[in-house]
Amino acid sequence: MVKRVEPSRYSIVGNSTVGEFNFQIEGADVTDDDRYMCAIFETSGLLDRTLSSTPKVQLTVDSSPTGYYPKCRPSTLRSYYLEGDTLEAKCIFRNSQQMPDLQWYQSGMLLSGNRSYSSLADVTYQWSLSAADNGATLTCVANETSTCDVGPVGIYFKPRPAMVSAIVEVIVGEPAVFEVIGDWNPIRSQYSWSVNDVEVGNSLQPRFSNSGSILTILETQLQDDNASVSCVVTNSVGSARAIAKLRVRPAPVQTIYTTTKTTDTSAVSPLNDKPLSLIVIVAVATGDLIF
């Protein structure tokens, strides 16, 4: 008789041809202390009928009184979880001399959540996983002294991309460079760039250079001003979009003109009986140079 069904630890192996079967427990601990039996039964309609059974056998599991507990066991510890999944982990403490005080911690911070205690002093913590939990470890602390860990766990989550610059400003004719960065697990599989919702393709649009995480508009034009540039990053979990704006300013224009300034005639000297004239050259730059 198995009072707890844990496929990862309990199994039945044998040879049906000769009718020999063995019940195996992997990683036995004191929670497996119980009486076990084997029964042969048949199912007929809605009724199960026991044909024969063996006497119950007592299993006793001894453990060191110190240094062995608490013990952590996840209900299932997969190679990875998806963001939003729930991992249920159990912390076990056995000490008949004192009542246990069990707490869960993550990165030194006390966690709150759904806990359920039994008479055997088990505490189960339900961990709702997020992208920030990738690589994190849960720690169960018993009576503020003994600890055990579950993890680290791997969390798969869709990309969370962002543009290095939300606004890229250039003078007309200059190149404009857009770069996307972010977090994702597993690694990204695709970058898809678009300008004003038109997908960029180098073979058809020679003005663009697309190298995955970086898009370059090689020679900007005035009509590019206020363009919306976006990149969709995709991995096996999902996809997400990052957006930036392009500002294109006109090139500065220089206008050169001359003016003549005549000195006061009262300042004419005997050596120079003509008024002095000064030619002044003024250069004025127009155009918006302030971004």
Side-chain angles (χ1 to χ4, degrees):
M1 177 180 64
V2 181
K3 64 178 180 180
R4 293 171 297 273
V5 179
E6 297 184 57
S8 62
R9 299 180 60 240
Y10 298 108
S11 61
I12 298 176
V13 297
N15 189 333
S16 60
T17 303
V18 297
E20 291 182 357
F21 297 92
N22 298 306
F23 175 61
Q24 295 184 348
I25 303 175
E26 180 182 352
D29 58 41
V30 293
T31 64
D32 299 310
D33 268 50
D34 208 341
R35 303 179 70 193
Y36 295 84
M37 62 174 291
C38 177
I40 300 175
F41 62 94
E42 69 173 1
T43 301
S44 177
L46 300 177
L47 300 177
D48 292 339
R49 185 166 64 96
T50 301
L51 300 180
S52 63
S53 61
T54 64
K56 293 183 178 180
V57 177
Q58 178 66 46
L59 172 63
T60 301
V61 181
D62 295 326
S63 64
S64 171
T66 60
Y68 185 72
Y69 287 97
K71 184 175 182 179
C72 296
R73 179 189 301 146
S75 56
T76 56
L77 187 58
R78 305 194 297 268
S79 58
Y80 71 88
Y81 295 82
L82 295 179
E83 185 176 19
D85 286 350
T86 297
L87 171 62
E88 185 176 273
K90 178 181 289 186
C91 184
I92 304 168
F93 183 82
R94 297 290 183 272
N95 191 326
S96 59
Q97 304 302 317
Q98 63 180 130
M99 292 296 293
D101 177 19
L102 304 178
Q103 299 289 348
W104 285 104
Y105 288 82
Q106 179 187 334
S107 303
M109 299 296 294
L110 178 65
L111 296 174
S112 60
N114 298 326
R115 297 187 175 97
S116 59
Y117 295 85
S118 75
S119 59
L120 298 177
D122 296 346
V123 55
T124 300
Y125 186 82
Q126 294 180 351
W127 188 9
S128 298
L129 302 168
S130 68
D133 297 322
N134 186 42
T137 299
L138 282 178
T139 299
C140 178
V141 179
N143 294 335
E144 300 182 351
T145 56
S146 303
T147 64
C148 62
D149 297 319
V150 172
V153 296
I155 312 298
Y156 279 6
F157 55 94
K158 71 179 185 178
R160 298 184 296 179
M163 292 289 187
V164 172
S165 299
I167 299 177
V168 175
E169 300 190 58
V170 296
I171 295 175
V172 63
E174 293 181 344
V177 180
F178 299 85
E179 182 177 3
V180 67
I181 57 175
D183 296 325
W184 39 75
N185 190 31
I187 62 173
R188 81 289 175 275
S189 59
Q190 181 180 353
Y191 294 99
S192 178
W193 289 92
S194 61
V195 177
N196 290 333
D197 296 325
V198 178
E199 188 173 351
V200 172
N202 283 337
S203 60
L204 299 179
Q205 296 162 297
R207 278 206 310 141
F208 300 101
S209 174
N210 180 1
S211 60
S213 62
I214 299 177
L215 175 72
T216 303
I217 302 178
L218 300 175
E219 186 176 347
T220 54
Q221 302 171 359
L222 284 176
Q223 55 265 36
D224 294 327
D225 185 41
N226 207 37
S228 176
V229 179
S230 67
C231 181
V232 176
V233 183
T234 303
N235 66 1
S236 61
V237 179
S239 61
R241 181 188 305 269
I243 301 176
K245 282 290 186 181
L246 173 61
R247 305 294 190 193
V248 180
R249 302 306 186 193
V253 178
Q254 290 187 345
T255 302
I256 299 177
Y257 65 92
T258 62
T259 183
T260 301
K261 182 178 181 182
T262 303
T263 61
D264 190 350
T265 56
S266 62
V268 177
S269 66
L271 298 179
N272 184 3
D273 57 356
K274 295 182 179 180
L276 296 178
S277 297
L278 178 65
I279 299 177
V280 180
I281 300 177
V282 180
V284 178
T286 62
D288 191 353
L289 296 178
I290 301 176
F291 294 159

